[in-house]
Amino acid sequence: HITAVGFDLYCQLLKTAVARMKGQKTGRLIETKLQLDFLVWQEGDVDEKSGKYGAFLPRAYLPESRWRMDGYRRIAEANSADDLEKLRLEWRDRHGPWPLPVERLLLATQIKIAAAEERIGLVETQDEKLMLRQGQDYIMVSGKFPRLTVRDPISRLKEIISWVVSLKRVP
């Protein structure tokens, strides 16, 4: 059983190795870890009554396991906003509108990409608290962890993206 983090890193290392062998420029590896207490990464773990929402590629959307595996590989290899947008457009064209678990997965990937650009190694939520760590230090606002103000998972993911992106404006 390969964990999501292990699979992400494996795909990125493989992509980097192949690019180097071809003499191509390689991008930076995304080493950001997401620990979002309101998301689960596997279809069987969803329990929306307890506030656990899925972020995955459902069988109903991609019925063939090879399509899902390829989808996860492509997500793991996305290391820029452009890569992710190309993937979004391709999936919408090839498979049609995606269900909410896919939207949440894509937004979570967007968080990872934005956080990696800011060298944030950990994005974690505990209830309303957002904890962002650069190196060994947590990023605080006025001595406190930022607070998330929305409960809906899609809106919450977008709020996290806003927090991460806002760090680019801070010297």
Side-chain angles (χ1 to χ4, degrees), residues 13-26:
L13 290 171
L14 186 60
K15 181 180 177 183
T16 300
V18 170
R20 283 187 183 149
M21 288 174 58
K22 292 180 176 179
Q24 299 171 340
K25 182 179 172 185
T26 59

Coordinates of all heavy atoms in Angstrom, one line a residue, residues 13-26:
L13 N 10.2 12.3 -8.4 CA 11.5 11.8 -8.6 C 11.7 11.2 -10.0 O 12.7 11.4 -10.7 CB 11.9 10.9 -7.5 CG 12.1 11.5 -6.1 CD1 12.3 10.4 -5.1 CD2 13.3 12.5 -6.1
L14 N 10.7 10.3 -10.3 CA 10.8 9.7 -11.6 C 10.7 10.7 -12.8 O 11.5 10.6 -13.7 CB 9.6 8.7 -11.8 CG 9.6 7.8 -13.0 CD1 10.8 6.9 -13.1 CD2 8.3 6.9 -13.0
K15 N 9.8 11.7 -12.7 CA 9.7 12.7 -13.7 C 11.0 13.5 -13.8 O 11.5 13.8 -14.9 CB 8.6 13.6 -13.4 CG 8.4 14.7 -14.4 CD 7.2 15.6 -14.0 CE 7.0 16.8 -15.0 NZ 6.0 17.7 -14.6
T16 N 11.6 13.8 -12.7 CA 12.9 14.6 -12.7 C 14.0 13.7 -13.3 O 14.8 14.2 -14.1 CB 13.3 14.9 -11.2 OG1 12.2 15.8 -10.7 CG2 14.6 15.7 -11.2
A17 N 14.1 12.5 -13.0 CA 15.1 11.6 -13.5 C 15.0 11.4 -15.0 O 16.0 11.5 -15.8 CB 15.1 10.2 -12.9
V18 N 13.8 11.2 -15.5 CA 13.6 11.1 -17.0 C 13.9 12.4 -17.7 O 14.6 12.4 -18.7 CB 12.1 10.7 -17.3 CG1 11.8 10.8 -18.8 CG2 11.9 9.3 -16.8
A19 N 13.5 13.6 -17.1 CA 13.9 14.9 -17.7 C 15.4 15.1 -17.8 O 15.9 15.6 -18.8 CB 13.2 16.0 -17.0
R20 N 16.1 14.7 -16.7 CA 17.6 14.9 -16.7 C 18.2 14.0 -17.8 O 19.1 14.4 -18.4 CB 18.1 14.5 -15.3 CG 17.9 15.6 -14.3 CD 18.6 15.3 -13.0 NE 18.3 16.4 -12.1 CZ 18.2 16.2 -10.8 NH1 18.4 15.0 -10.3 NH2 18.0 17.2 -10.0
M21 N 17.7 12.8 -17.9 CA 18.2 11.8 -18.9 C 18.0 12.4 -20.3 O 18.9 12.2 -21.2 CB 17.6 10.5 -18.8 CG 18.1 9.7 -17.6 SD 17.2 8.2 -17.3 CE 17.5 7.3 -18.8
K22 N 17.0 13.1 -20.5 CA 16.7 13.7 -21.8 C 17.4 15.1 -22.0 O 17.2 15.7 -23.0 CB 15.2 13.9 -22.0 CG 14.4 12.7 -22.1 CD 12.9 13.0 -22.3 CE 12.1 11.7 -22.5 NZ 10.6 12.1 -22.6
G23 N 18.1 15.5 -21.0 CA 18.8 16.8 -21.0 C 17.9 18.0 -20.9 O 18.2 19.1 -21.2
Q24 N 16.7 17.8 -20.3 CA 15.7 18.9 -20.1 C 15.9 19.5 -18.7 O 16.4 18.9 -17.8 CB 14.3 18.3 -20.2 CG 14.0 17.7 -21.6 CD 12.6 17.0 -21.6 OE1 12.1 16.6 -20.5 NE2 12.1 16.8 -22.8
K25 N 15.4 20.7 -18.7 CA 15.5 21.5 -17.4 C 14.4 20.8 -16.5 O 13.3 20.5 -16.9 CB 15.1 22.9 -17.7 CG 15.1 23.8 -16.4 CD 14.8 25.2 -16.8 CE 14.6 26.1 -15.5 NZ 14.2 27.4 -15.8
T26 N 14.8 20.7 -15.2 CA 13.9 20.1 -14.2 C 13.4 21.1 -13.3 O 14.1 22.0 -12.9 CB 14.6 18.9 -13.5 OG1 15.7 19.5 -12.8 CG2 15.0 17.8 -14.4

